Amino acid sequence: MNTYFANKVVLVTGASGGIGKAVALAFAKEGAQLVLAARSVDRLAQVEKEIRDLGSEALTVPTDVTSHDGVANLVDAAVNRFGRIDVLVNNAGIGKVGVVESAAFEDNVHQTLQASLFGMINVTQRVLPIFRRQGSGAIVNMSSVMGRKAFSRFGSYAIVMHAVSAFSDSLRQEVAGGDIRVSVIYPALTATDLLREAQEAEMPPPFRHMTPLSPEAVARAVVAAVRRGKRRVVLPRTANMLLLGEAFSPRIGDSIATALSKRPITRLLGMSRGKTYHETISNHPRPLHQPG
């Protein structure tokens, strides 16, 4: 076992399933002590058990990250138990699918902003003073490829993921000059429950035949980003082609997005090599509660 994270304290939000659970387990395998936050008490308890089975210590604090009092209690509980926090992984969030003309679009934006952005800001603002006092710390913010390039039917989610990018870039510059680091992770479609309720026909066209990333692959990237101090990580690497095209010209970015809606193209790029998102999720048991 690598000892880099031995006895480091890692706080993970949205830790009850999906990427958050995988991140918590990945850090536990590295010897870290975990603070687990999410809304689902039962699912958090299961993650805590798996971490203890790995020989690491864990503290479970059921938390709604949109509640200022709840987040204050979470951070206080972490410090009271472990005396410090070394890594914050802001993973809690939701995603909604729908066209801009949908009557629900504005409400989808509001809900996603509250859960995925303002919750992130809330937790970060509570943890930053601790990092300042310690003189060190690492913040990992989970965004999405759509935090750099939006896809059709996923506008509400892309709006918020772009905001996460802006928040992270601003924060990184504000803490520059010390030993507080900020990383942003940009995964493509991942096999989590984020879009379980969306019908396959409602998905952005490129997503309908893509093979999703595994939460474990994203978790490994998170651990590596913290260890190496990476500022940005895009998964899979082939997704950088889309972002590079978008940086040159929106026309090029849109053309690449359209091309990715064609199965032969995504297969050629290695992004369609097995089960689709809905085929993968159908093999997973439905969660008792929505991820928090």
Side-chain angles (χ1 to χ4, degrees), residues 10-37 44 47-48 50-52 54 56-58 89 91 215 219-220 222-223:
V10 180
L11 192 163
V12 183
T13 68
S16 61
I19 292 174
K21 175 182 177 180
V23 166
L25 293 173
F27 275 110
K29 291 174 183 176
E30 298 279 337
Q33 299 170 317
L34 276 300
V35 180
L36 308 173
L44 276 180
V47 179
E48 178 179 344
E50 291 183 40
I51 288 171
R52 293 186 183 280
L54 290 170
S56 289
E57 192 171 354
V89 181
N91 170 74
R220 288 192 293 271
V222 170
V223 172

PDB file of all heavy atoms in Angstrom, residues 10-37 44 47-48 50-52 54 56-58 89 91 215 219-220 222-223:
ATOM      1  N   VAL A  10      -9.867  12.515   4.821  1.00  0.00           N
ATOM      2  CA  VAL A  10     -10.501  12.857   3.550  1.00  0.00           C
ATOM      3  C   VAL A  10     -12.004  12.958   3.755  1.00  0.00           C
ATOM      4  O   VAL A  10     -12.646  11.994   4.191  1.00  0.00           O
ATOM      5  CB  VAL A  10     -10.190  11.794   2.471  1.00  0.00           C
ATOM      6  CG1 VAL A  10     -10.852  12.171   1.149  1.00  0.00           C
ATOM      7  CG2 VAL A  10      -8.677  11.629   2.293  1.00  0.00           C
ATOM      8  N   LEU A  11     -12.569  14.120   3.443  1.00  0.00           N
ATOM      9  CA  LEU A  11     -14.016  14.335   3.562  1.00  0.00           C
ATOM     10  C   LEU A  11     -14.618  14.239   2.166  1.00  0.00           C
ATOM     11  O   LEU A  11     -14.202  14.958   1.256  1.00  0.00           O
ATOM     12  CB  LEU A  11     -14.289  15.713   4.178  1.00  0.00           C
ATOM     13  CG  LEU A  11     -15.717  16.026   4.637  1.00  0.00           C
ATOM     14  CD1 LEU A  11     -15.728  17.224   5.589  1.00  0.00           C
ATOM     15  CD2 LEU A  11     -16.671  16.309   3.470  1.00  0.00           C
ATOM     16  N   VAL A  12     -15.586  13.350   2.011  1.00  0.00           N
ATOM     17  CA  VAL A  12     -16.226  13.125   0.712  1.00  0.00           C
ATOM     18  C   VAL A  12     -17.717  13.393   0.838  1.00  0.00           C
ATOM     19  O   VAL A  12     -18.401  12.772   1.656  1.00  0.00           O
ATOM     20  CB  VAL A  12     -16.002  11.676   0.214  1.00  0.00           C
ATOM     21  CG1 VAL A  12     -16.618  11.495  -1.170  1.00  0.00           C
ATOM     22  CG2 VAL A  12     -14.520  11.327   0.191  1.00  0.00           C
ATOM     23  N   THR A  13     -18.241  14.305   0.018  1.00  0.00           N
ATOM     24  CA  THR A  13     -19.686  14.524  -0.019  1.00  0.00           C
ATOM     25  C   THR A  13     -20.292  13.665  -1.124  1.00  0.00           C
ATOM     26  O   THR A  13     -19.613  13.270  -2.064  1.00  0.00           O
ATOM     27  CB  THR A  13     -20.033  16.008  -0.257  1.00  0.00           C
ATOM     28  OG1 THR A  13     -19.645  16.386  -1.590  1.00  0.00           O
ATOM     29  CG2 THR A  13     -19.327  16.899   0.755  1.00  0.00           C
ATOM     30  N   GLY A  14     -21.577  13.377  -0.980  1.00  0.00           N
ATOM     31  CA  GLY A  14     -22.212  12.466  -1.940  1.00  0.00           C
ATOM     32  C   GLY A  14     -21.588  11.097  -1.884  1.00  0.00           C
ATOM     33  O   GLY A  14     -21.446  10.412  -2.902  1.00  0.00           O
ATOM     34  N   ALA A  15     -21.217  10.661  -0.658  1.00  0.00           N
ATOM     35  CA  ALA A  15     -20.422   9.441  -0.492  1.00  0.00           C
ATOM     36  C   ALA A  15     -21.251   8.169  -0.399  1.00  0.00           C
ATOM     37  O   ALA A  15     -20.681   7.092  -0.207  1.00  0.00           O
ATOM     38  CB  ALA A  15     -19.555   9.568   0.765  1.00  0.00           C
ATOM     39  N   SER A  16     -22.560   8.254  -0.556  1.00  0.00           N
ATOM     40  CA  SER A  16     -23.392   7.076  -0.350  1.00  0.00           C
ATOM     41  C   SER A  16     -23.453   6.136  -1.544  1.00  0.00           C
ATOM     42  O   SER A  16     -23.969   5.025  -1.447  1.00  0.00           O
ATOM     43  CB  SER A  16     -24.821   7.510   0.027  1.00  0.00           C
ATOM     44  OG  SER A  16     -25.388   8.286  -1.013  1.00  0.00           O
ATOM     45  N   GLY A  17     -22.937   6.558  -2.690  1.00  0.00           N
ATOM     46  CA  GLY A  17     -22.974   5.701  -3.865  1.00  0.00           C
ATOM     47  C   GLY A  17     -22.206   6.308  -5.016  1.00  0.00           C
ATOM     48  O   GLY A  17     -21.659   7.414  -4.912  1.00  0.00           O
ATOM     49  N   GLY A  18     -22.152   5.589  -6.133  1.00  0.00           N
ATOM     50  CA  GLY A  18     -21.551   6.109  -7.348  1.00  0.00           C
ATOM     51  C   GLY A  18     -20.105   6.534  -7.179  1.00  0.00           C
ATOM     52  O   GLY A  18     -19.300   5.857  -6.540  1.00  0.00           O
ATOM     53  N   ILE A  19     -19.766   7.680  -7.761  1.00  0.00           N
ATOM     54  CA  ILE A  19     -18.395   8.183  -7.711  1.00  0.00           C
ATOM     55  C   ILE A  19     -17.964   8.462  -6.279  1.00  0.00           C
ATOM     56  O   ILE A  19     -16.834   8.154  -5.894  1.00  0.00           O
ATOM     57  CB  ILE A  19     -18.257   9.443  -8.585  1.00  0.00           C
ATOM     58  CG1 ILE A  19     -18.415   9.082 -10.066  1.00  0.00           C
ATOM     59  CG2 ILE A  19     -16.903  10.122  -8.348  1.00  0.00           C
ATOM     60  CD1 ILE A  19     -18.444  10.281 -10.993  1.00  0.00           C
ATOM     61  N   GLY A  20     -18.857   9.031  -5.473  1.00  0.00           N
ATOM     62  CA  GLY A  20     -18.492   9.359  -4.091  1.00  0.00           C
ATOM     63  C   GLY A  20     -18.084   8.134  -3.294  1.00  0.00           C
ATOM     64  O   GLY A  20     -17.070   8.155  -2.574  1.00  0.00           O
ATOM     65  N   LYS A  21     -18.852   7.074  -3.408  1.00  0.00           N
ATOM     66  CA  LYS A  21     -18.502   5.826  -2.711  1.00  0.00           C
ATOM     67  C   LYS A  21     -17.179   5.284  -3.226  1.00  0.00           C
ATOM     68  O   LYS A  21     -16.311   4.872  -2.436  1.00  0.00           O
ATOM     69  CB  LYS A  21     -19.604   4.788  -2.917  1.00  0.00           C
ATOM     70  CG  LYS A  21     -19.274   3.417  -2.335  1.00  0.00           C
ATOM     71  CD  LYS A  21     -20.391   2.410  -2.601  1.00  0.00           C
ATOM     72  CE  LYS A  21     -20.017   1.024  -2.089  1.00  0.00           C
ATOM     73  NZ  LYS A  21     -21.111   0.037  -2.339  1.00  0.00           N
ATOM     74  N   ALA A  22     -17.007   5.275  -4.543  1.00  0.00           N
ATOM     75  CA  ALA A  22     -15.771   4.750  -5.124  1.00  0.00           C
ATOM     76  C   ALA A  22     -14.568   5.573  -4.676  1.00  0.00           C
ATOM     77  O   ALA A  22     -13.493   5.020  -4.397  1.00  0.00           O
ATOM     78  CB  ALA A  22     -15.876   4.747  -6.650  1.00  0.00           C
ATOM     79  N   VAL A  23     -14.727   6.883  -4.598  1.00  0.00           N
ATOM     80  CA  VAL A  23     -13.641   7.747  -4.133  1.00  0.00           C
ATOM     81  C   VAL A  23     -13.290   7.433  -2.680  1.00  0.00           C
ATOM     82  O   VAL A  23     -12.117   7.315  -2.317  1.00  0.00           O
ATOM     83  CB  VAL A  23     -14.028   9.232  -4.288  1.00  0.00           C
ATOM     84  CG1 VAL A  23     -13.065  10.137  -3.511  1.00  0.00           C
ATOM     85  CG2 VAL A  23     -14.040   9.634  -5.754  1.00  0.00           C
ATOM     86  N   ALA A  24     -14.313   7.286  -1.837  1.00  0.00           N
ATOM     87  CA  ALA A  24     -14.070   6.977  -0.428  1.00  0.00           C
ATOM     88  C   ALA A  24     -13.317   5.667  -0.270  1.00  0.00           C
ATOM     89  O   ALA A  24     -12.347   5.566   0.496  1.00  0.00           O
ATOM     90  CB  ALA A  24     -15.401   6.924   0.326  1.00  0.00           C
ATOM     91  N   LEU A  25     -13.732   4.643  -1.008  1.00  0.00           N
ATOM     92  CA  LEU A  25     -13.066   3.343  -0.921  1.00  0.00           C
ATOM     93  C   LEU A  25     -11.637   3.408  -1.470  1.00  0.00           C
ATOM     94  O   LEU A  25     -10.727   2.771  -0.931  1.00  0.00           O
ATOM     95  CB  LEU A  25     -13.874   2.293  -1.675  1.00  0.00           C
ATOM     96  CG  LEU A  25     -15.234   1.939  -1.074  1.00  0.00           C
ATOM     97  CD1 LEU A  25     -16.011   1.012  -1.999  1.00  0.00           C
ATOM     98  CD2 LEU A  25     -15.076   1.298   0.302  1.00  0.00           C
ATOM     99  N   ALA A  26     -11.435   4.201  -2.525  1.00  0.00           N
ATOM    100  CA  ALA A  26     -10.098   4.327  -3.098  1.00  0.00           C
ATOM    101  C   ALA A  26      -9.137   4.970  -2.109  1.00  0.00           C
ATOM    102  O   ALA A  26      -7.987   4.525  -1.961  1.00  0.00           O
ATOM    103  CB  ALA A  26     -10.155   5.144  -4.389  1.00  0.00           C
ATOM    104  N   PHE A  27      -9.589   5.999  -1.418  1.00  0.00           N
ATOM    105  CA  PHE A  27      -8.731   6.635  -0.407  1.00  0.00           C
ATOM    106  C   PHE A  27      -8.520   5.711   0.789  1.00  0.00           C
ATOM    107  O   PHE A  27      -7.438   5.683   1.382  1.00  0.00           O
ATOM    108  CB  PHE A  27      -9.321   7.964   0.044  1.00  0.00           C
ATOM    109  CG  PHE A  27      -8.971   9.128  -0.842  1.00  0.00           C
ATOM    110  CD1 PHE A  27      -9.937   9.738  -1.637  1.00  0.00           C
ATOM    111  CD2 PHE A  27      -7.677   9.624  -0.876  1.00  0.00           C
ATOM    112  CE1 PHE A  27      -9.610  10.818  -2.458  1.00  0.00           C
ATOM    113  CE2 PHE A  27      -7.343  10.700  -1.686  1.00  0.00           C
ATOM    114  CZ  PHE A  27      -8.312  11.295  -2.481  1.00  0.00           C
ATOM    115  N   ALA A  28      -9.554   4.953   1.153  1.00  0.00           N
ATOM    116  CA  ALA A  28      -9.407   4.003   2.268  1.00  0.00           C
ATOM    117  C   ALA A  28      -8.339   2.968   1.950  1.00  0.00           C
ATOM    118  O   ALA A  28      -7.547   2.588   2.833  1.00  0.00           O
ATOM    119  CB  ALA A  28     -10.744   3.325   2.554  1.00  0.00           C
ATOM    120  N   LYS A  29      -8.284   2.505   0.706  1.00  0.00           N
ATOM    121  CA  LYS A  29      -7.261   1.536   0.300  1.00  0.00           C
ATOM    122  C   LYS A  29      -5.859   2.126   0.385  1.00  0.00           C
ATOM    123  O   LYS A  29      -4.872   1.393   0.454  1.00  0.00           O
ATOM    124  CB  LYS A  29      -7.546   1.042  -1.118  1.00  0.00           C
ATOM    125  CG  LYS A  29      -8.788   0.170  -1.213  1.00  0.00           C
ATOM    126  CD  LYS A  29      -9.126  -0.180  -2.658  1.00  0.00           C
ATOM    127  CE  LYS A  29     -10.405  -0.991  -2.740  1.00  0.00           C
ATOM    128  NZ  LYS A  29     -10.815  -1.258  -4.153  1.00  0.00           N
ATOM    129  N   GLU A  30      -5.792   3.468   0.368  1.00  0.00           N
ATOM    130  CA  GLU A  30      -4.500   4.156   0.478  1.00  0.00           C
ATOM    131  C   GLU A  30      -4.149   4.475   1.937  1.00  0.00           C
ATOM    132  O   GLU A  30      -3.147   5.135   2.197  1.00  0.00           O
ATOM    133  CB  GLU A  30      -4.537   5.452  -0.338  1.00  0.00           C
ATOM    134  CG  GLU A  30      -4.748   5.254  -1.820  1.00  0.00           C
ATOM    135  CD  GLU A  30      -3.466   4.890  -2.547  1.00  0.00           C
ATOM    136  OE1 GLU A  30      -2.381   5.203  -2.032  1.00  0.00           O
ATOM    137  OE2 GLU A  30      -3.546   4.287  -3.629  1.00  0.00           O
ATOM    138  N   GLY A  31      -5.012   4.031   2.864  1.00  0.00           N
ATOM    139  CA  GLY A  31      -4.719   4.238   4.281  1.00  0.00           C
ATOM    140  C   GLY A  31      -5.308   5.491   4.884  1.00  0.00           C
ATOM    141  O   GLY A  31      -5.028   5.831   6.042  1.00  0.00           O
ATOM    142  N   ALA A  32      -6.149   6.209   4.125  1.00  0.00           N
ATOM    143  CA  ALA A  32      -6.740   7.444   4.639  1.00  0.00           C
ATOM    144  C   ALA A  32      -7.876   7.158   5.615  1.00  0.00           C
ATOM    145  O   ALA A  32      -8.467   6.075   5.620  1.00  0.00           O
ATOM    146  CB  ALA A  32      -7.252   8.298   3.488  1.00  0.00           C
ATOM    147  N   GLN A  33      -8.180   8.150   6.443  1.00  0.00           N
ATOM    148  CA  GLN A  33      -9.347   8.122   7.313  1.00  0.00           C
ATOM    149  C   GLN A  33     -10.439   8.933   6.622  1.00  0.00           C
ATOM    150  O   GLN A  33     -10.176  10.007   6.083  1.00  0.00           O
ATOM    151  CB  GLN A  33      -9.000   8.732   8.678  1.00  0.00           C
ATOM    152  CG  GLN A  33      -7.898   7.975   9.404  1.00  0.00           C
ATOM    153  CD  GLN A  33      -7.388   8.718  10.632  1.00  0.00           C
ATOM    154  OE1 GLN A  33      -7.175   9.924  10.607  1.00  0.00           O
ATOM    155  NE2 GLN A  33      -7.187   7.995  11.714  1.00  0.00           N
ATOM    156  N   LEU A  34     -11.655   8.410   6.647  1.00  0.00           N
ATOM    157  CA  LEU A  34     -12.724   9.005   5.846  1.00  0.00           C
ATOM    158  C   LEU A  34     -13.806   9.664   6.691  1.00  0.00           C
ATOM    159  O   LEU A  34     -14.186   9.143   7.738  1.00  0.00           O
ATOM    160  CB  LEU A  34     -13.374   7.941   4.963  1.00  0.00           C
ATOM    161  CG  LEU A  34     -12.713   7.614   3.616  1.00  0.00           C
ATOM    162  CD1 LEU A  34     -12.649   8.853   2.715  1.00  0.00           C
ATOM    163  CD2 LEU A  34     -11.339   7.029   3.788  1.00  0.00           C
ATOM    164  N   VAL A  35     -14.282  10.801   6.182  1.00  0.00           N
ATOM    165  CA  VAL A  35     -15.501  11.428   6.691  1.00  0.00           C
ATOM    166  C   VAL A  35     -16.509  11.363   5.553  1.00  0.00           C
ATOM    167  O   VAL A  35     -16.269  11.906   4.468  1.00  0.00           O
ATOM    168  CB  VAL A  35     -15.265  12.888   7.116  1.00  0.00           C
ATOM    169  CG1 VAL A  35     -16.563  13.497   7.643  1.00  0.00           C
ATOM    170  CG2 VAL A  35     -14.160  12.975   8.162  1.00  0.00           C
ATOM    171  N   LEU A  36     -17.617  10.684   5.788  1.00  0.00           N
ATOM    172  CA  LEU A  36     -18.595  10.403   4.740  1.00  0.00           C
ATOM    173  C   LEU A  36     -19.839  11.242   4.939  1.00  0.00           C
ATOM    174  O   LEU A  36     -20.471  11.203   6.001  1.00  0.00           O
ATOM    175  CB  LEU A  36     -18.977   8.924   4.763  1.00  0.00           C
ATOM    176  CG  LEU A  36     -17.821   7.928   4.744  1.00  0.00           C
ATOM    177  CD1 LEU A  36     -18.348   6.511   4.955  1.00  0.00           C
ATOM    178  CD2 LEU A  36     -17.038   8.027   3.450  1.00  0.00           C
ATOM    179  N   ALA A  37     -20.219  11.991   3.907  1.00  0.00           N
ATOM    180  CA  ALA A  37     -21.401  12.848   3.987  1.00  0.00           C
ATOM    181  C   ALA A  37     -22.337  12.558   2.827  1.00  0.00           C
ATOM    182  O   ALA A  37     -21.901  12.432   1.675  1.00  0.00           O
ATOM    183  CB  ALA A  37     -20.990  14.320   3.975  1.00  0.00           C
ATOM    184  N   LEU A  44     -24.984   5.241   3.584  1.00  0.00           N
ATOM    185  CA  LEU A  44     -23.732   5.685   4.205  1.00  0.00           C
ATOM    186  C   LEU A  44     -23.196   4.631   5.168  1.00  0.00           C
ATOM    187  O   LEU A  44     -21.990   4.381   5.222  1.00  0.00           O
ATOM    188  CB  LEU A  44     -23.949   7.000   4.967  1.00  0.00           C
ATOM    189  CG  LEU A  44     -23.885   8.310   4.179  1.00  0.00           C
ATOM    190  CD1 LEU A  44     -24.122   9.484   5.104  1.00  0.00           C
ATOM    191  CD2 LEU A  44     -22.556   8.461   3.459  1.00  0.00           C
ATOM    192  N   VAL A  47     -21.372   1.995   3.264  1.00  0.00           N
ATOM    193  CA  VAL A  47     -20.054   2.443   2.811  1.00  0.00           C
ATOM    194  C   VAL A  47     -19.071   2.464   3.981  1.00  0.00           C
ATOM    195  O   VAL A  47     -17.911   2.041   3.852  1.00  0.00           O
ATOM    196  CB  VAL A  47     -20.138   3.836   2.157  1.00  0.00           C
ATOM    197  CG1 VAL A  47     -18.751   4.307   1.710  1.00  0.00           C
ATOM    198  CG2 VAL A  47     -21.081   3.814   0.958  1.00  0.00           C
ATOM    199  N   GLU A  48     -19.538   2.919   5.132  1.00  0.00           N
ATOM    200  CA  GLU A  48     -18.677   2.937   6.325  1.00  0.00           C
ATOM    201  C   GLU A  48     -18.201   1.527   6.665  1.00  0.00           C
ATOM    202  O   GLU A  48     -17.019   1.314   6.985  1.00  0.00           O
ATOM    203  CB  GLU A  48     -19.416   3.529   7.514  1.00  0.00           C
ATOM    204  CG  GLU A  48     -18.576   3.534   8.798  1.00  0.00           C
ATOM    205  CD  GLU A  48     -19.292   4.154   9.975  1.00  0.00           C
ATOM    206  OE1 GLU A  48     -20.309   4.853   9.766  1.00  0.00           O
ATOM    207  OE2 GLU A  48     -18.845   3.930  11.123  1.00  0.00           O
ATOM    208  N   GLU A  50     -17.820  -1.000   4.615  1.00  0.00           N
ATOM    209  CA  GLU A  50     -16.831  -1.437   3.628  1.00  0.00           C
ATOM    210  C   GLU A  50     -15.473  -0.797   3.880  1.00  0.00           C
ATOM    211  O   GLU A  50     -14.428  -1.424   3.683  1.00  0.00           O
ATOM    212  CB  GLU A  50     -17.334  -1.096   2.223  1.00  0.00           C
ATOM    213  CG  GLU A  50     -18.547  -1.924   1.799  1.00  0.00           C
ATOM    214  CD  GLU A  50     -18.983  -1.637   0.377  1.00  0.00           C
ATOM    215  OE1 GLU A  50     -18.091  -1.473  -0.491  1.00  0.00           O
ATOM    216  OE2 GLU A  50     -20.207  -1.562   0.128  1.00  0.00           O
ATOM    217  N   ILE A  51     -15.477   0.432   4.332  1.00  0.00           N
ATOM    218  CA  ILE A  51     -14.210   1.111   4.636  1.00  0.00           C
ATOM    219  C   ILE A  51     -13.542   0.471   5.845  1.00  0.00           C
ATOM    220  O   ILE A  51     -12.328   0.222   5.850  1.00  0.00           O
ATOM    221  CB  ILE A  51     -14.461   2.613   4.872  1.00  0.00           C
ATOM    222  CG1 ILE A  51     -14.782   3.297   3.544  1.00  0.00           C
ATOM    223  CG2 ILE A  51     -13.246   3.279   5.541  1.00  0.00           C
ATOM    224  CD1 ILE A  51     -15.246   4.720   3.675  1.00  0.00           C
ATOM    225  N   ARG A  52     -14.328   0.162   6.859  1.00  0.00           N
ATOM    226  CA  ARG A  52     -13.767  -0.481   8.055  1.00  0.00           C
ATOM    227  C   ARG A  52     -13.237  -1.875   7.726  1.00  0.00           C
ATOM    228  O   ARG A  52     -12.226  -2.316   8.276  1.00  0.00           O
ATOM    229  CB  ARG A  52     -14.810  -0.527   9.160  1.00  0.00           C
ATOM    230  CG  ARG A  52     -15.188   0.856   9.696  1.00  0.00           C
ATOM    231  CD  ARG A  52     -16.107   0.764  10.897  1.00  0.00           C
ATOM    232  NE  ARG A  52     -16.510   2.089  11.362  1.00  0.00           N
ATOM    233  CZ  ARG A  52     -15.754   2.871  12.113  1.00  0.00           C
ATOM    234  NH1 ARG A  52     -14.552   2.471  12.504  1.00  0.00           N
ATOM    235  NH2 ARG A  52     -16.189   4.069  12.486  1.00  0.00           N
ATOM    236  N   LEU A  54     -11.768  -2.607   5.130  1.00  0.00           N
ATOM    237  CA  LEU A  54     -10.474  -2.385   4.498  1.00  0.00           C
ATOM    238  C   LEU A  54      -9.396  -1.997   5.510  1.00  0.00           C
ATOM    239  O   LEU A  54      -8.235  -1.825   5.145  1.00  0.00           O
ATOM    240  CB  LEU A  54     -10.590  -1.275   3.436  1.00  0.00           C
ATOM    241  CG  LEU A  54     -11.393  -1.620   2.176  1.00  0.00           C
ATOM    242  CD1 LEU A  54     -11.637  -0.368   1.345  1.00  0.00           C
ATOM    243  CD2 LEU A  54     -10.657  -2.675   1.348  1.00  0.00           C
ATOM    244  N   SER A  56      -9.538   0.813   7.470  1.00  0.00           N
ATOM    245  CA  SER A  56      -9.472   2.261   7.671  1.00  0.00           C
ATOM    246  C   SER A  56     -10.594   2.712   8.599  1.00  0.00           C
ATOM    247  O   SER A  56     -11.601   2.027   8.776  1.00  0.00           O
ATOM    248  CB  SER A  56      -9.557   3.004   6.343  1.00  0.00           C
ATOM    249  OG  SER A  56      -8.381   2.841   5.594  1.00  0.00           O
ATOM    250  N   GLU A  57     -10.405   3.892   9.151  1.00  0.00           N
ATOM    251  CA  GLU A  57     -11.404   4.455  10.058  1.00  0.00           C
ATOM    252  C   GLU A  57     -12.340   5.352   9.265  1.00  0.00           C
ATOM    253  O   GLU A  57     -11.936   6.014   8.306  1.00  0.00           O
ATOM    254  CB  GLU A  57     -10.707   5.255  11.163  1.00  0.00           C
ATOM    255  CG  GLU A  57     -11.621   5.632  12.320  1.00  0.00           C
ATOM    256  CD  GLU A  57     -10.850   6.220  13.495  1.00  0.00           C
ATOM    257  OE1 GLU A  57      -9.600   6.218  13.439  1.00  0.00           O
ATOM    258  OE2 GLU A  57     -11.505   6.688  14.436  1.00  0.00           O
ATOM    259  N   ALA A  58     -13.610   5.410   9.686  1.00  0.00           N
ATOM    260  CA  ALA A  58     -14.581   6.236   8.978  1.00  0.00           C
ATOM    261  C   ALA A  58     -15.551   6.864   9.963  1.00  0.00           C
ATOM    262  O   ALA A  58     -15.930   6.252  10.961  1.00  0.00           O
ATOM    263  CB  ALA A  58     -15.336   5.415   7.945  1.00  0.00           C
ATOM    264  N   VAL A  89     -13.382  16.368  -1.013  1.00  0.00           N
ATOM    265  CA  VAL A  89     -13.871  15.976  -2.332  1.00  0.00           C
ATOM    266  C   VAL A  89     -15.336  16.392  -2.428  1.00  0.00           C
ATOM    267  O   VAL A  89     -16.215  15.789  -1.793  1.00  0.00           O
ATOM    268  CB  VAL A  89     -13.726  14.461  -2.573  1.00  0.00           C
ATOM    269  CG1 VAL A  89     -14.232  14.107  -3.974  1.00  0.00           C
ATOM    270  CG2 VAL A  89     -12.274  14.021  -2.407  1.00  0.00           C
ATOM    271  N   ASN A  91     -18.389  16.175  -4.187  1.00  0.00           N
ATOM    272  CA  ASN A  91     -18.961  15.283  -5.187  1.00  0.00           C
ATOM    273  C   ASN A  91     -20.489  15.314  -5.219  1.00  0.00           C
ATOM    274  O   ASN A  91     -21.092  14.904  -6.210  1.00  0.00           O
ATOM    275  CB  ASN A  91     -18.474  13.848  -4.929  1.00  0.00           C
ATOM    276  CG  ASN A  91     -19.197  12.823  -5.766  1.00  0.00           C
ATOM    277  OD1 ASN A  91     -18.971  12.710  -6.968  1.00  0.00           O
ATOM    278  ND2 ASN A  91     -20.096  12.073  -5.137  1.00  0.00           N
ATOM    279  N   PRO A 215     -17.253   4.142 -11.985  1.00  0.00           N
ATOM    280  CA  PRO A 215     -16.936   5.023 -10.860  1.00  0.00           C
ATOM    281  C   PRO A 215     -15.533   4.782 -10.320  1.00  0.00           C
ATOM    282  O   PRO A 215     -14.860   5.717  -9.873  1.00  0.00           O
ATOM    283  CB  PRO A 215     -18.006   4.659  -9.819  1.00  0.00           C
ATOM    284  CG  PRO A 215     -19.148   4.128 -10.623  1.00  0.00           C
ATOM    285  CD  PRO A 215     -18.514   3.398 -11.764  1.00  0.00           C
ATOM    286  N   ALA A 219     -12.576   7.404  -9.596  1.00  0.00           N
ATOM    287  CA  ALA A 219     -11.986   7.477  -8.258  1.00  0.00           C
ATOM    288  C   ALA A 219     -10.463   7.398  -8.308  1.00  0.00           C
ATOM    289  O   ALA A 219      -9.767   8.128  -7.597  1.00  0.00           O
ATOM    290  CB  ALA A 219     -12.546   6.357  -7.379  1.00  0.00           C
ATOM    291  N   ARG A 220      -9.947   6.518  -9.158  1.00  0.00           N
ATOM    292  CA  ARG A 220      -8.483   6.424  -9.291  1.00  0.00           C
ATOM    293  C   ARG A 220      -7.901   7.738  -9.796  1.00  0.00           C
ATOM    294  O   ARG A 220      -6.822   8.169  -9.364  1.00  0.00           O
ATOM    295  CB  ARG A 220      -8.122   5.269 -10.234  1.00  0.00           C
ATOM    296  CG  ARG A 220      -8.358   3.887  -9.648  1.00  0.00           C
ATOM    297  CD  ARG A 220      -7.715   2.800 -10.498  1.00  0.00           C
ATOM    298  NE  ARG A 220      -8.340   2.672 -11.804  1.00  0.00           N
ATOM    299  CZ  ARG A 220      -9.375   1.884 -12.077  1.00  0.00           C
ATOM    300  NH1 ARG A 220      -9.928   1.157 -11.113  1.00  0.00           N
ATOM    301  NH2 ARG A 220      -9.876   1.808 -13.300  1.00  0.00           N
ATOM    302  N   VAL A 222      -9.157  10.689  -9.239  1.00  0.00           N
ATOM    303  CA  VAL A 222      -9.226  11.648  -8.130  1.00  0.00           C
ATOM    304  C   VAL A 222      -8.028  11.480  -7.210  1.00  0.00           C
ATOM    305  O   VAL A 222      -7.356  12.455  -6.837  1.00  0.00           O
ATOM    306  CB  VAL A 222     -10.539  11.481  -7.343  1.00  0.00           C
ATOM    307  CG1 VAL A 222     -10.509  12.301  -6.048  1.00  0.00           C
ATOM    308  CG2 VAL A 222     -11.736  11.882  -8.197  1.00  0.00           C
ATOM    309  N   VAL A 223      -7.748  10.243  -6.822  1.00  0.00           N
ATOM    310  CA  VAL A 223      -6.606   9.974  -5.936  1.00  0.00           C
ATOM    311  C   VAL A 223      -5.306  10.448  -6.586  1.00  0.00           C
ATOM    312  O   VAL A 223      -4.467  11.096  -5.940  1.00  0.00           O
ATOM    313  CB  VAL A 223      -6.530   8.475  -5.582  1.00  0.00           C
ATOM    314  CG1 VAL A 223      -5.247   8.159  -4.819  1.00  0.00           C
ATOM    315  CG2 VAL A 223      -7.755   8.068  -4.751  1.00  0.00           C
TER     316      VAL A 223
END
